[in-house]
Amino acid sequence: MSYLITQGRYAGLIAKSNNRSGAAGAAVGPGIVTTTAALATDIIHLIPVGRSFYVTKIVWYQVTGVNMTMVFGTLSNAGVPAMVQMFPTLQALSGIPGGLGEDDLVGVEFMLNSQATPLGWDGSLWVESYAAGVITAGVEISVEVAEKP
Amino acid sequence: MEVANIYDNGPISLIARIKDNLSIYTAKKWAHYQVAYAEPWPRSSPLRVDLVALAGATTIAANGVIAKRLVPILQATDGEMLQIRFEPLDDVEGVVYEQSGTGKFNSRNAHARVNMGTCIRDPYLATTTLFVMGYNRDLNLEVQNPNPVALNQARFQFFGFRYVLDAISPDLSSVIDQRGQQDKAKQEEITRQLAAGDKATVAQHIGPTTWLPAEGR
């Protein structure tokens, strides 16, 4: 557990990992979420009822042989939900593991906004990966979050 | 030792000392007692209950509920009263009923819960204070899982104080009429006023007392 879970802006929050790490985003205990396709959105952490959360760590690794971008954010409440980017676009370099900790990540608070599109979003953590002309499946991602009860 | 207000926002402490009086709203009337005995109920493993196990289940489902059920460790007997605070040890929310049908911590449109965050803003858990009074007036606990994943356990930790109470029956034989006879009507009126919680009557016939709600009221 990160020291910031007990200190600073994350004091008293509940530390957890990605809860949608099962096959096809099934809810399971913490594990690794693997991206499925280029520009597809894959869920990493589904927001609990009545909570908000901060992302305190993201680590990733990809083996497809191509560098690709990753966008982390939440999804809009549109009929066809669109990615609402919450962090700067990240690069997943082929064969090189990467990661960001609390000191690197913007302290955005993920929370449900139930308003209709384009104002609202679902508040969960999603990822979208992309590389031109490449099926960008297979990026392995693990996160830690701090949930505010 | 100083006696606390019943929902004191500090560490839990006795609401009445031995030989102090308690006036308790229970079974739809005020009943008056004297504390015969009081002892702490320290936070410890026997006062911990896993509602998943208690329900005979293996998990509490994702965003699921364990229906309200009796918590045997909190059952009191006649003449016994428990003063309790509690918190969940797992990431679940507790919903309290006193008697199985009366919500505790509720209002017209809301029924508050106790969760893992309660102790962050309320480190002594003062807002979770409740009382269990006597036989067959038990606490029921419902559990809600706010998480989108199933959890294997839903533990709750209780602690507080246990009291033994003696009912007070004021001697009304000195209530006489102008002829020196027992004034039955007046005596019945005093008994009725005591049950109604009339402060002046209680002050006269019971003495100083601490007023206390029980059973979710």
Side-chain angles (χ1 to χ4, degrees):
Chain A
M1 183 188 294
S2 159
Y3 74 94
L4 276 181
I5 300 297
T6 53
Q7 297 177 30
R9 80 181 165 211
Y10 303 128
L13 273 55
I14 302 169
K16 290 191 181 157
S17 299
N18 22 344
N19 59 22
R20 284 277 162 167
S21 51
V28 296
I32 297 170
V33 170
T34 305
T35 59
T36 53
L39 290 177
T41 49
D42 294 294
I43 187 162
I44 301 174
H45 193 77
L46 189 64
I47 191 167
V49 177
R51 297 256 172 99
S52 62
F53 67 86
Y54 298 93
V55 181
T56 52
K57 186 191 285 183
I58 305 175
V59 293
W60 64 86
Y61 183 68
Q62 66 101 342
V63 293
T64 59
V66 178
N67 297 343
M68 63 187 70
T69 62
M70 291 182 300
V71 171
F72 288 88
T74 189
L75 285 196
S76 75
N77 287 339
V80 179
M83 172 62 75
V84 180
Q85 185 168 357
M86 303 291 263
F87 294 112
T89 303
L90 300 173
Q91 289 286 333
L93 303 178
S94 177
I96 301 175
L100 294 174
E102 288 171 17
D103 295 342
D104 314 307
L105 289 162
V106 180
V108 292
E109 188 169 1
F110 284 71
M111 63 181 80
L112 170 70
N113 182 338
S114 58
Q115 294 182 89
T117 189
L119 296 172
W121 52 73
D122 73 0
S124 296
L125 177 64
W126 296 73
V127 64
E128 182 180 87
S129 61
Y130 179 72
V134 176
I135 303 299
T136 54
V139 185
E140 295 178 341
I141 297 167
S142 190
V143 302
E144 287 180 4
V145 305
E147 290 180 355
K148 187 185 285 184
Chain B
M1 183 175 65
E2 192 167 327
V3 175
N5 290 319
I6 58 175
Y7 301 125
D8 227 346
N9 60 355
I12 192 167
S13 54
L14 288 169
I15 56 161
R17 294 163 293 200
I18 293 171
K19 298 299 178 186
D20 280 359
N21 293 333
L22 282 175
S23 295
I24 302 173
Y25 191 75
T26 179
K28 296 183 178 175
K29 63 177 184 178
W30 289 95
H32 308 280
Y33 299 92
Q34 187 177 70
V35 178
Y37 177 77
E39 66 178 0
W41 232 29
R43 180 187 178 112
S44 54
S45 60
L47 301 186
R48 195 173 296 156
V49 61
D50 178 5
L51 267 289
V52 171
L54 193 64
T58 52
T59 61
I60 177 171
N63 295 125
V65 181
I66 294 176
K68 62 187 174 188
R69 64 185 52 245
L70 188 71
V71 180
I73 58 173
L74 299 179
Q75 286 185 289
T77 188
D78 274 338
E80 199 176 38
M81 187 183 78
L82 307 175
Q83 176 192 356
I84 297 166
R85 295 180 180 182
F86 76 103
E87 66 174 336
L89 300 179
D90 301 301
D91 189 12
V92 294
E93 299 179 335
V95 188
V96 177
Y97 295 82
E98 289 202 301
Q99 312 274 50
S100 63
T102 307
K104 179 77 175 170
F105 310 140
N106 66 355
S107 64
R108 176 179 166 180
N109 292 329
H111 193 170
R113 303 172 184 173
V114 177
N115 64 28
M116 282 187 88
T118 303
C119 68
I120 297 173
R121 268 72 183 185
D122 179 17
Y124 299 111
L125 297 165
T127 53
T128 72
T129 304
L130 55 88
F131 300 89
V132 177
M133 169 77 198
Y135 178 70
N136 235 353
R137 300 185 195 141
D138 301 313
L139 178 145
N140 278 241
L141 189 61
E142 173 187 303
V143 187
Q144 299 267 353
N145 179 6
N147 295 282
V149 293
L151 299 178
N152 296 326
Q153 53 189 15
R155 294 168 302 160
F156 287 83
Q157 175 73 59
F158 298 86
F159 64 99
F161 287 98
R162 170 180 166 272
Y163 301 82
V164 176
L165 305 180
D166 287 335
I168 299 175
S169 299
D171 181 8
L172 302 179
S173 60
S174 60
V175 179
I176 52 176
D177 58 20
Q178 291 174 334
R179 293 170 296 165
Q181 305 291 316
Q182 297 270 327
D183 190 338
K184 296 291 184 190
K186 179 77 171 166
Q187 290 173 359
E188 285 173 10
E189 173 64 11
I190 291 171
T191 302
R192 194 185 67 75
Q193 291 288 353
L194 290 174
D198 180 71
K199 287 187 82 169
T201 309
V202 170
Q204 183 180 352
H205 294 280
I206 303 293
T209 189
T210 297
W211 300 86
L212 190 70
E215 299 160 38
R217 298 178 186 91

